[in-house]
Amino acid sequence: QVQVVESGGGLVQAGGSLRLSCAASKSMFSINAMGWYRQAPGKQRELVADITSGGGTNYADSVKGRFIISRDNAKNTVYLQMNSLKPEDTAVYYCRVTTTRFYWGQGTQVTVSS
């Protein structure tokens, strides 16, 4: 069992920045990948960005050039730096940890006002 805890959401004006954090209760060396997903009202959950144990990253086209995913192995934590935020980035952001199965966090709300 892996506990996943997100933090860092909030309300920001368009053009602003936020940093999300996702802490896992398992060593990063036992984790295959960690990723950020988001779900806006009335829409399906979608991948925002993920990072593998090898350091490879993947981004949704809508956030490329604005968001950066990174990790701190010593803290078992992954970060999502979100810059140049847009109102369409408003959603609940979820962290997912992949080992031999998926573990989800409880989600953190990000609201971008115009």
Side-chain angles (χ1 to χ4, degrees):
Q1 190 74 12
V2 179
Q3 306 301 316
V4 182
V5 180
E6 303 114 331
S7 61
L11 173 64
V12 65
Q13 289 189 333
S17 299
L18 283 174
R19 190 177 80 155
L20 305 182
S21 300
C22 172
S25 63
K26 195 174 181 70
S27 168
M28 295 290 279
F29 298 103
S30 302
I31 293 172
N32 294 328
M34 292 180 70
W36 287 98
Y37 291 72
R38 66 187 181 188
Q39 187 166 19
K43 294 188 177 182
Q44 289 190 330
R45 192 172 297 189
E46 62 176 2
L47 173 69
V48 177
D50 62 17
I51 185 166
T52 68
S53 59
T57 58
N58 181 44
Y59 294 91
D61 287 343
S62 59
V63 306
K64 283 180 181 177
R66 299 189 297 124
F67 292 9
I68 301 171
I69 190 169
S70 62
R71 66 184 189 187
D72 184 335
N73 291 341
K75 296 182 179 180
N76 299 337
T77 298
V78 167
Y79 304 98
L80 185 68
Q81 178 66 43
M82 304 186 295
N83 302 318
S84 301
L85 282 161
K86 305 175 181 180
E88 51 263 44
D89 294 317
T90 295
V92 178
Y93 283 69
Y94 296 92
C95 180
R96 190 181 83 174
V97 173
T98 303
T99 57
T100 57
R101 51 165 290 185
F102 300 137
Y103 297 90
W104 292 91
Q106 78 287 354
T108 185
Q109 177 70 47
V110 171
T111 302
V112 184
S113 63
S114 57

